[in-house]
Short mmCIF file of all heavy atoms in Angstrom, two decimals:
data_model
loop_
_atom_site.label_atom_id
_atom_site.label_comp_id
_atom_site.label_asym_id
_atom_site.label_seq_id
_atom_site.Cartn_x
_atom_site.Cartn_y
_atom_site.Cartn_z
N ARG W 14 1.56 -7.71 -0.11
CA ARG W 14 2.30 -8.86 0.37
C ARG W 14 3.76 -8.42 0.56
O ARG W 14 4.20 -8.11 1.67
CB ARG W 14 2.16 -10.05 -0.62
CG ARG W 14 2.50 -11.39 -0.02
CD ARG W 14 4.01 -11.70 -0.04
NE ARG W 14 4.58 -11.64 -1.35
CZ ARG W 14 5.85 -11.56 -1.63
NH1 ARG W 14 6.75 -11.51 -0.64
NH2 ARG W 14 6.33 -11.48 -2.84
N ASP W 15 4.51 -8.29 -0.61
CA ASP W 15 5.92 -7.78 -0.42
C ASP W 15 5.96 -6.40 0.22
O ASP W 15 6.78 -6.16 1.07
CB ASP W 15 6.49 -7.68 -1.87
CG ASP W 15 8.03 -8.01 -1.87
OD1 ASP W 15 8.64 -7.52 -0.93
OD2 ASP W 15 8.47 -8.73 -2.81
N THR W 172 15.71 -11.32 -6.96
CA THR W 172 15.28 -11.36 -5.54
C THR W 172 16.13 -10.36 -4.77
O THR W 172 15.60 -9.74 -3.78
CB THR W 172 15.40 -12.75 -5.04
OG1 THR W 172 14.58 -13.63 -5.84
CG2 THR W 172 14.90 -12.85 -3.57
N HIS W 203 9.96 -9.68 -11.38
CA HIS W 203 9.81 -9.28 -9.98
C HIS W 203 11.17 -8.69 -9.53
O HIS W 203 12.05 -9.46 -9.17
CB HIS W 203 9.34 -10.43 -9.13
CG HIS W 203 9.17 -10.07 -7.68
ND1 HIS W 203 7.89 -10.04 -7.02
CD2 HIS W 203 10.07 -9.79 -6.66
CE1 HIS W 203 8.11 -9.82 -5.78
NE2 HIS W 203 9.37 -9.55 -5.53
N HIS W 205 13.83 -6.10 -7.38
CA HIS W 205 14.03 -5.29 -6.18
C HIS W 205 15.02 -4.17 -6.45
O HIS W 205 15.90 -4.25 -7.37
CB HIS W 205 14.50 -6.24 -5.04
CG HIS W 205 13.28 -6.84 -4.38
ND1 HIS W 205 12.61 -6.25 -3.30
CD2 HIS W 205 12.70 -8.04 -4.60
CE1 HIS W 205 11.61 -6.98 -2.96
NE2 HIS W 205 11.61 -8.07 -3.71
N GLU W 235 10.24 -5.15 0.55
CA GLU W 235 11.45 -5.59 1.37
C GLU W 235 12.69 -4.73 1.07
O GLU W 235 12.92 -4.43 -0.07
CB GLU W 235 11.74 -7.06 1.03
CG GLU W 235 10.69 -8.01 1.60
CD GLU W 235 11.27 -9.14 2.47
OE1 GLU W 235 11.93 -8.75 3.40
OE2 GLU W 235 10.99 -10.28 2.02
N ASN W 239 10.39 -2.66 -4.14
CA ASN W 239 10.15 -3.30 -5.43
C ASN W 239 10.11 -2.29 -6.49
O ASN W 239 10.38 -1.10 -6.26
CB ASN W 239 8.78 -3.96 -5.32
CG ASN W 239 8.73 -5.23 -4.46
OD1 ASN W 239 8.93 -5.12 -3.30
ND2 ASN W 239 8.45 -6.32 -5.13
ZN1 ZN J 4 10.12 -9.52 -3.49
#
Side-chain angles (χ1 to χ4, degrees):
R14 201 278 300 164
D15 209 321
T172 306
H203 178 111
H205 276 274
E235 289 231 58
N239 287 63

